[in-house]
Amino acid sequence: MPEPITLDRRTLGRTDLHVTPLCVGGGPIGSMPGNFGYDTPAERGIETALAAMGGPINFLDTSNSYSAGESERRIGAAIARRGGLPEDFVLATKLDRDVESGDFGAERMYRSARESQERLGLDTFKLLHLHDPEHVGFDAAMAPGGPVEALLSLKERGVAQYVGVAGGPVEMLRRFVDTGVFDVVLTHNRWSLVDRSADQLIQEASDAGVGVLNAAVFGGGVLARGLRSGARYGYRDAAPRVVAAITALEDLARSFDVPLPAAAIQFSTRDPRISSTVLGVSRPERIAGSVDLNAMPIPDEFWVQAQQLAAPSDTWLW
């Protein structure tokens, strides 16, 4: 029987957290069929969280809003079942707006934190993100009485050891990084085999000592399953130039006998600027499977050719 693969730890920016280059994404654990196209039964979600806590990956990312809190509830059930988190395990969650009213004020952020504490059975978080601030905008997020003020207050109170910002639009995230108040930034769908639009954000954050997390390297699934799963990228219909880029990447992967999901994962994990790559996982066995894909040898020439195949930069009108 082969020896299990172990993962090195990387320092998360200027924090004292040391995380594996892979992070288990908790969205599918709670079942998000609208995003991923399939359901995750409750017990399987709990078992997946247990596998995450018992395997070589020491990092799990979730959110208050994933499936209306179901991701946190299932992860909390797994924590209770195993009698607590492993000592060196990093669990990150996110503060979220009220999805019905759109409330993104400070009091809503405090309620979001309390809800997460109750669901997860934890008093404190090693990492707590402000989630999707594009729904309120940079100026409102930074204003007195806004969500950033609440996030920093939670850090001062010890509810959060470190704080991050997790969102989509890269120009907005660059502005948040530039404030100097965030320890970590999480970008999703914008740094992958297909989309390179987060390059400047990643570089600026890395230069500033802000830890960089990169999520959704499969683009919602198409870079794991290929176009046979449907022509969608980033949870929406893919533009023709994106479909053409994915087709070319599929052809390249076949020519090198490289599984497309291995290439999608390693595109991110091989980047020294990125501390950890967040992979949504919905089955226990996919924890080890993701680790194996990350360890699979890929020739240098593959990367030389893949570098030329991303969709043109003006494709991405996020």
Side-chain angles (χ1 to χ4, degrees):
M1 180 178 294
E3 289 292 322
I5 298 172
T6 59
L7 295 172
D8 294 334
R9 306 291 171 90
R10 300 175 179 178
T11 303
L12 185 57
R14 57 178 172 245
T15 78
D16 64 359
L17 301 178
H18 302 282
V19 296
T20 49
L22 297 178
C23 172
V24 174
I29 286 175
S31 192
M32 297 176 71
N35 282 19
F36 303 110
Y38 56 84
D39 288 302
T40 305
E43 183 59 27
R44 195 173 80 202
I46 295 169
E47 290 173 355
T48 302
L50 284 166
M53 296 175 207
I57 296 173
N58 82 327
F59 195 5
L60 194 160
D61 172 85
T62 185
S63 170
N64 176 284
S65 70
Y66 289 163
S67 298
E70 186 62 16
S71 174
E72 288 185 330
R73 280 188 284 272
R74 294 179 185 183
I75 294 167
I79 293 170
R81 192 176 293 182
R82 77 176 307 280
L85 286 170
E87 184 177 352
D88 65 345
F89 199 84
V90 177
L91 174 62
T93 194
K94 307 180 186 77
L95 301 179
D96 278 284
R97 72 193 189 284
D98 185 299
V99 294
E100 294 184 1
S101 69
D103 182 8
F104 224 136
E107 288 305 316
R108 167 57 203 159
M109 297 297 99
Y110 296 135
R111 288 197 303 276
S112 179
R114 288 194 296 271
E115 290 164 1
S116 295
Q117 288 172 317
E118 291 169 2
R119 293 169 187 156
L120 293 164
L122 301 172
D123 294 325
T124 63
F125 306 105
K126 291 182 178 179
L127 178 59
L128 185 64
H129 292 288
L130 177 69
H131 195 200
D132 290 345
E134 56 264 36
H135 290 287
V136 66
F138 176 82
D139 292 334
M142 295 298 300
V148 173
E149 181 179 280
L151 179 66
L152 295 177
S153 175
L154 289 166
K155 183 179 182 181
E156 291 173 1
R157 299 178 192 179
V159 174
Q161 185 177 356
Y162 296 107
V163 296
V165 58
V170 293
E171 294 305 315
M172 183 199 64
L173 290 178
R174 288 176 64 201
R175 295 181 72 187
F176 281 116
V177 168
D178 194 50
T179 66
V181 304
F182 294 97
D183 304 302
V184 177
V185 62
L186 186 154
T187 179
H188 65 82
N189 286 298
R190 272 78 168 176
W191 188 244
S192 73
L193 285 168
V194 175
D195 184 349
R196 314 290 170 81
S197 57
D199 190 29
Q200 191 169 2
L201 164 68
I202 292 169
Q203 189 62 52
E204 290 174 356
S206 179
D207 290 344
V210 175
V212 178
L213 305 177
N214 186 34
V217 295
F218 298 139
V222 68
L223 293 177
R225 299 185 293 271
L227 287 167
R228 61 182 173 78
S229 66
R232 290 176 62 81
Y233 182 89
Y235 320 122
R236 63 184 187 180
D237 291 339
R241 289 194 291 182
V242 178
V243 174
I246 296 169
T247 300
L249 285 161
E250 286 189 281
D251 290 343
L252 179 67
R254 276 193 293 269
S255 73
F256 278 89
D257 196 24
V258 169
L260 185 62
I265 293 169
Q266 291 187 42
F267 172 81
S268 180
T269 59
R270 70 196 296 269
D271 190 328
R273 304 172 300 174
I274 294 171
S275 297
S276 193
T277 297
V278 185
L279 304 177
V281 179
S282 61
R283 294 178 179 273
E285 61 270 22
R286 289 184 179 158
I287 305 287
S290 297
V291 174
D292 290 342
L293 288 170
N294 187 57
M296 185 171 293
I298 297 179
D300 290 341
E301 182 59 26
F302 173 90
W303 300 115
V304 172
Q305 295 187 38
Q307 184 63 28
Q308 312 304 317
L309 297 182
S313 60
D314 61 354
T315 302
W316 305 105
L317 303 176
W318 295 101

